[in-house]
Amino acid sequence: MIQNLKRRLLGEKLPTDKLSEEKFNVFWGLPLLASDAISSVAYAVDEILWVLVPAIGLTSYFWSPKIALAIIILLLVLTISYRQIVSAYPNGGGAYIVAKENLKIKYGLIVGASLSVDYILTVAVSISAGTAAVTSAIPALFPHRISIALFFIALMTIGNLRGVSESSKFFSIPTYAFLITILSLVIVGSIKSIGNGVMATPILSDSPVTFGTRAVSLFLLLRAFSSGCAAVTGVEAICDAVPNFKEPAVKNAKLAYVLLTIAVIITFGGITYLATVFHPVPNSQQTVIAQLAASIFGKGIMFYIIQGTTTVILAMAANTAFAGFPILLSIIARDGYVPRQFALRGHRLGFSNGILLLAIAAGTLIIVFQGDTHLLIPLYAIGVFTSFTLAQAGICLKWFRTKPKGWVYKAFINGLGTLITFITVIVIAITKFLSGAWVVLVIIPIIVLSMLKIRDHYSRIAKRLDIPNDRIERLKLSSKPTPYVIIPIQSLNVMVVKTLRYAKSLSNEVEVFNVETYEGEADKLRKKWAKLKTDVPLVIKQSAYRDIVGSLTEYIESNEHASRHGDFITVLLPQFVVAKPWEMALHNNTSLFIARALLNYRNIVVSLVPFQIEEKSELYKDIDLEIEEG
Amino acid sequence: MIQNLKRRLLGEKLPTDKLSEEKFNVFWGLPLLASDAISSVAYAVDEILWVLVPAIGLTSYFWSPKIALAIIILLLVLTISYRQIVSAYPNGGGAYIVAKENLKIKYGLIVGASLSVDYILTVAVSISAGTAAVTSAIPALFPHRISIALFFIALMTIGNLRGVSESSKFFSIPTYAFLITILSLVIVGSIKSIGNGVMATPILSDSPVTFGTRAVSLFLLLRAFSSGCAAVTGVEAICDAVPNFKEPAVKNAKLAYVLLTIAVIITFGGITYLATVFHPVPNSQQTVIAQLAASIFGKGIMFYIIQGTTTVILAMAANTAFAGFPILLSIIARDGYVPRQFALRGHRLGFSNGILLLAIAAGTLIIVFQGDTHLLIPLYAIGVFTSFTLAQAGICLKWFRTKPKGWVYKAFINGLGTLITFITVIVIAITKFLSGAWVVLVIIPIIVLSMLKIRDHYSRIAKRLDIPNDRIERLKLSSKPTPYVIIPIQSLNVMVVKTLRYAKSLSNEVEVFNVETYEGEADKLRKKWAKLKTDVPLVIKQSAYRDIVGSLTEYIESNEHASRHGDFITVLLPQFVVAKPWEMALHNNTSLFIARALLNYRNIVVSLVPFQIEEKSELYKDIDLEIEEG
C-alpha cells in the first residue's frame, strides 16, 4: 500500500540510464540560474528599511540608497571575481571543490557546511518571503502563513523527488515575468514621482512600526548593509553550472554573469529608488513591493500580477536550493564526509535523502521562526559570504601557484574579492551577532567537526575491510568442520519442526534450547519433545529474570561444544511471517529481538527461518507428506 | 546508556519469584480501594452546578440537593447489589469476568472496552481535577496546567513502572486526610451558615459564568444528574480486589462497602449542602471546594491544606487506574483479545505495556481537552455504568441458573441494580450525547470489533502451528541434502572472506551474487575474484533499477540449482557491526534491508553473518594465520 502511494505520488521508478542533462543557451539558462539572486530583491529592500526606520525614522530614506550602492559595488566585485573562477573551472565545481582543491580540506568542509546551512536558509527565507507576497495580496490568509509555507515546501519536495527537469524551459518564464513586472513598476513609479514630487509622509500611517528619532551611527549603517547583503546571495549558481551551458560554455557563462549583474542592479536599484520616493514602511503584514505596487498601480490587476510573479520567482529560488543542496551533499558524501546515503540516487534518480533533509530542515526553521522572513535574515548571508571568501581565496592561491599568463592581474582581482567578502563576513557576524548570526557561527563548526568524525569512521572501516592485493592470493578458504547449531524455541509446533529439519541439513550437531520463564512450562515441553523421538537434545534453562537472550548467550559461552568450534556458532530462529503489518504488532516478535541482540556477539550467525502463516494448504501438505513417507 | 538510564529511573530488574501480595485489613484496605470513589466529590458538585447555573441561575441551589439525593439513592442500590457480587465472586474478578462467565463473551468484551475507556478517563479526569485544585490555590500556575498535569502523569508512570507496592499503608493516609478536612469544612461551614443565614448572592460576583434565567426542564435536571454520576465511579474497585483483604475476606469486603458508602454520602452530601448555602459558582479557574474553603476558612492555612489533600487524593484516584488498567488488560490479553504483549511482566514485574498505554492515552486526552475537567466529564461515567449494568445482569442471570438459597431476593436486588444502572446509561447517553458521549459510543464498538479481530488472528495462528499429539510421533525429521547457499556481496573484502569460509562449512553448493548498479563495477570485482582462486562461482547481474532484492529473488526463482532443493535456500548476508548506534546511521545497511525483504519470501532462510569492526587485532590475526597455513 505504501509502495502504491509512493508510485502515485512520485511516478514509476526510473532506470539508471535515463540520467542525462540537457544543455541550454544563455537566454534559457540565465533565468534558471539567476532566480535566486534576482528574487532576493523581493526582501532585500525591506530588510535594509527594517534596520533603519525603527531607529532613525524618515532619515532612512536618505541613507538607504547609499547602502544599496555599496551592495551594488560589492556585487560588481563579486561578478568580476566569479567570471575568473568560471574560466579556471570550466567543468563547474562550486566553492566546495575550489576550496578543497586549492586550500586545505578543512576549508573545503567549512565551505560545505556554510553552503549547506545557506541552502536550507534559502528555502526558508524564499518560501517565507513568497508566502509574505501572497498574504500581502490576500491579508485574510495571514494567520495561515505557516501552513501555506509548509504546503509550498511539500509541493517542492514531491516535485523534486519526482525529478523536476532542471533545464525545463517552463521554469525560465517566471524570472522574465518578474523582471518585466518590476521593470514596469520602476518605470511607472518614476514617472508618477516626477508628477507628484517626493512624498513627505510614509505610505502606511497606521503602521505598527514606530518611527525612530535616534542619531545615525556607523554601526547602524553597517547593520543595514549586512541585512541588504541578502540581495547578493545566489550569485555563485552560474559558476557551479558552467558545463550545463551550450558550447562555448565558458563564454556563455561569463555573458550570463554580466546579464545577471545588470538585472540585479536594475531591480534592486529601482526598488530602492522607489522607496526613497514613496516611503514604504517595513512591517510583517505588507511587503515593500506590495506597498509600492498599491501606491503606484492601486489595488487593481497590476498589483495582483506583481504579487503573483514575486511569489513564483521566490518559489523558483527555493527550488534552486532543492536542485543544488542534494548535489552538493552527494559530492561531499562521495568524499566520505557525510553519510553515504546522500550519494545514493533514489526511486526517480534524484538524491532523495538530500531532498528530504532539506525539506525537513527548512520546514523546521519556518515553524520555529513563525514564517517571518525578517527574523530569518540575520542567519542568512553569513554562510554565503564565507563560501565566497574561501572560494576566491582558493582561486587566488591557485594563481600564485600556477602563475599562468596575466596571473598578477587575476590574483589581484580575486584577492580584492577575497578581501571585500571577508570584510563583509566580519561586518555581518558583528552587526547581526545577537539577532541570530551566533547560531550559524556555532552550527558551522559543529557540522565541520561532525564531517571529520564521519570521514574518520569510514576510513577506519575501509581499512579494516580491505584485503591488499598481494594477500588475496594467499587466503585460505578451506571448508571448516560441520557447524554447531542452536535453535531457541518456546514450544513444539509445526514451525519448530520445519526449522529442525533445516538444521539437520546443515549439521549433525544440533541442540534445541528453551528458557523456562514460568514454572511448569518446561515439563510440558519435555513430554512433548520425548514423543518426537529425535536424537536432538532439548536443553532447558531457568531464568528468574525472564531473560531469553541472556540465558542463551550464557549457555553458549559456558558450553564446551560451542567453544570447541572456534569459528561461528549458528543460532536458528524460527520466525513466523504474517501477511499484514498490523498482525506483526500482535506478537512479541521474540525472534527479532533475539536476532538484534545476538548481532552484537562475536561469531554468532543469526539465521531467521521463515514460516508463512498464510497459504495454509501448501505448507501443511509438505508436513503431511513427510508423515506418510516416514 | 539507555539501559543505564532505565535502571536509574526504574530500579534493578526483579526476578519473577518476588511476585507476591500483602493482604490488608479493612482499616488500611478501604482507603486504598475507595480513593477513586471518594475523590469524585472534588468535581461532582462542580459538574452538577456547571449544568444548572448557566441555565437557571440561582434556582440551581434549590435543585442541586435533589439531584444529589437521586445520586445517593443510586449509590445505595449499587452498594447492595455489589455486596452480592462480592459473595458470588470471593476470588475477585471484576465486571469483565462476571460478564464473560455469565453472559456471552461479547458482553464481556463490551465491559472490557468500557472499563478500559473509563480507566483512561479516570486518569485524565482525576489529574485534571487535581491540577485544578493546585491552580485554584495558586492562580499564577493556571497557564501551566497542562504541563503540571503531564508532569503528574509522568511521575505516576515512573512510580508504577518501578512497581509501587499497591498495599503500602503510606497510600492510605491521604484518603483519611481528605475525609477529615472535608468533614471539618462541612462542620465549620454548617455552623457558620446557621450564624449568617443563607446567602442571597453567589460567592464570585465577577464570575465569567453568566447566570441563566431559563425555566427548569426535566432534560436539564437529567443532564445535571448525568454529570453528577461521576461521583459514583470507582465503586467497583472493592469488588475487584476481594482476595486482597485479610480473612474473612468476603466479610471484610462487604464491610468496606458499607464504610465507603457512608464516606461518599457524608462528603458528597456535605459539599452539596454547603453549596446551597454559600452559592459557589462553577468556573474553570476556581473549584467549588476552593470557593467554599475560601469563604468558610478564609485564604489561610486551612484553605491550602484542603487544596493540598484534594490534590493528593485525586492523584491517588488516578493511581488506582494505573493499578487496575494493566491488570485488566493482562486478563483480556491472556484470553487473546488484546495483543499478547499486555500479558507480559516487565523489568520490575509490572505490566509495563499497559502502564505506558494508559499514560499515553490519558496524556493525549489532557492535551486535547486542554486539561479541563469539565470538558472531559461528558465522556466519563458512561463506560462505568455500562460495566455496572452488564456485571449485575450477569450475576442476576447466574442466580436464575444456579438457584441458590434465597435466590429470588438476590435476583431481585441485582435485577433492580441492572435496571437502574441501565436507565442511567441511557440518560447519560442521551443528555450528554452532543457534548461528548457520542465519542465513547463510537469508540467502544470499534474496540470490541478490534478485540474480536485480534482473537481471530491468534486462533488462526495457533491452529496453524499446532501439531496434534497423534501426529508428533509420525513426523519425519530425516536430514535433507546439503543446502544451497547464496552470498550477496558488494565487493570483495575481509568480511566477505569470513562469510565465504562459514558458507563452505555449511554446504558444497555455494554461490556469490553481485548486482552491478553502475557500469564498470562488475569488471573490477571479477578481476579481484579471479585472484582468490576458489571454486565458488561469482554470479553478476545487471539492474537498471538499482534493485538488489528484486534481482536476487529473480535469480533464485529462475535458478535451477535453487529450485532443485525443494526445502530451504540459505542467503548469507555479511553484516558488519559497529560499536555505537550513530555509526549504524552512516551506512546503507543493505544487509538488513535485504533480510527484511527476503523474510516475506517462502522458504528463504536469511542468515546474518556478523563482522565486528572494533577489536581489530584478534580478528585480523585470524585471517593472517590462515594465510600462513594455506
Side-chain angles (χ1 to χ4, degrees), chain A residues 123 127 148-158 322 359 362-363 366:
Chain A
V123 174
I127 293 291
I148 294 171
L150 295 180
F151 176 74
F152 278 136
I153 289 182
L155 270 191
M156 236 161 257
T157 307
I158 292 169
F322 271 99
I366 284 179

Side-chain angles (χ1 to χ4, degrees), chain B residues 182-225:
Chain B
I182 293 296
L183 215 59
S184 54
L185 182 70
V186 172
I187 291 168
V188 176
S190 305
I191 293 168
K192 284 205 173 176
S193 75
I194 293 165
N196 302 334
V198 171
M199 296 172 91
T201 53
I203 291 177
L204 278 181
S205 51
D206 60 341
S207 158
V209 178
T210 52
F211 271 62
T213 50
R214 299 213 321 256
V216 177
S217 71
L218 180 63
F219 187 78
L220 185 77
L221 296 180
L222 288 176
R223 273 192 68 199
F225 169 79

Side-chain angles (χ1 to χ4, degrees), chain A residues 13-16 339-341 344-347 349 453-454 457-458 460-461 463-467 469 471-483 492-495 497-498 500-502 504-506 517-518 528 531-534 544-547 568 570 576-578 582-583 585-588 599-616 618-620 623-624 626-627 629-630, chain B residues 13-16 339-341 344-347 349 453-454 457-458 460-461 463-467 469 471-477 479-483 492-495 497-498 500-502 504-506 517-518 528 531-534 544-547 568 570 576-578 582-583 585-588 599-616 618-620 623-624 626-627 629-630:
Chain A
K13 204 168 173 179
L14 285 182
T16 316
R340 290 261 162 83
Q341 290 91 323
L344 283 186
R345 287 186 185 278
H347 196 71
L349 298 173
K453 199 152 186 202
I454 288 169
H457 168 85
Y458 283 132
R460 209 155 40 84
I461 288 197
K463 209 171 156 193
R464 177 83 179 79
L465 290 180
D466 182 57
I467 314 173
N469 268 332
R471 266 195 187 157
I472 292 187
E473 296 167 37
R474 292 187 295 143
L475 282 174
K476 191 183 155 194
L477 292 174
S478 62
S479 65
K480 290 263 165 184
T482 169
L492 177 55
N493 56 37
V494 176
M495 183 165 73
V497 170
K498 268 209 118 175
L500 199 57
R501 287 224 295 259
Y502 171 69
K504 290 195 125 196
S505 79
L506 296 183
T517 47
Y518 294 101
K528 235 180 167 179
K531 286 196 187 146
L532 202 58
K533 286 175 198 140
T534 173
Y545 291 92
R546 310 166 299 286
D547 176 10
F568 279 109
T570 306
F576 60 78
V577 180
V578 286
W582 70 265
E583 293 179 304
L586 297 179
H587 299 277
N588 300 334
L599 262 187
N600 293 318
Y601 285 84
R602 170 176 301 279
N603 295 343
I604 295 180
V605 175
V606 185
S607 296
L608 292 165
V609 183
F611 182 78
Q612 272 81 5
I613 291 294
E614 316 304 327
E615 296 165 288
K616 218 165 183 174
E618 198 186 324
L619 276 163
Y620 239 131
I623 295 283
D624 287 346
E626 297 293 335
I627 292 175
E629 280 175 32
Chain B
K13 205 168 172 177
L14 285 181
T16 316
R340 292 257 162 84
Q341 288 92 323
L344 283 184
R345 289 186 183 277
H347 196 71
L349 297 173
K453 199 153 187 203
I454 287 169
H457 168 85
Y458 283 131
R460 211 155 39 85
I461 288 197
K463 210 173 154 194
R464 179 83 181 81
L465 290 180
D466 183 56
I467 313 173
N469 266 332
R471 265 194 188 158
I472 292 186
E473 295 168 36
R474 291 188 294 143
L475 282 174
K476 191 183 156 195
L477 292 175
S479 65
K480 290 265 165 183
T482 168
L492 176 55
N493 56 37
V494 177
M495 183 164 74
V497 170
K498 268 208 120 175
L500 199 57
R501 288 221 297 256
Y502 171 70
K504 291 196 126 197
S505 78
L506 297 183
T517 47
Y518 294 100
K528 232 177 169 179
K531 285 195 186 145
L532 202 58
K533 287 174 199 141
T534 172
Y545 292 91
R546 310 166 299 286
D547 176 9
F568 279 111
T570 306
F576 60 78
V577 180
V578 286
W582 70 265
E583 292 180 304
L586 297 180
H587 299 275
N588 300 333
L599 262 186
N600 292 318
Y601 285 84
R602 169 176 301 281
N603 295 342
I604 295 180
V605 175
V606 184
S607 297
L608 292 166
V609 183
F611 182 78
Q612 272 78 6
I613 292 296
E614 316 304 328
E615 297 164 287
K616 219 167 183 171
E618 199 185 325
L619 276 163
Y620 239 131
I623 296 284
D624 288 346
E626 296 293 334
I627 291 175
E629 280 176 31

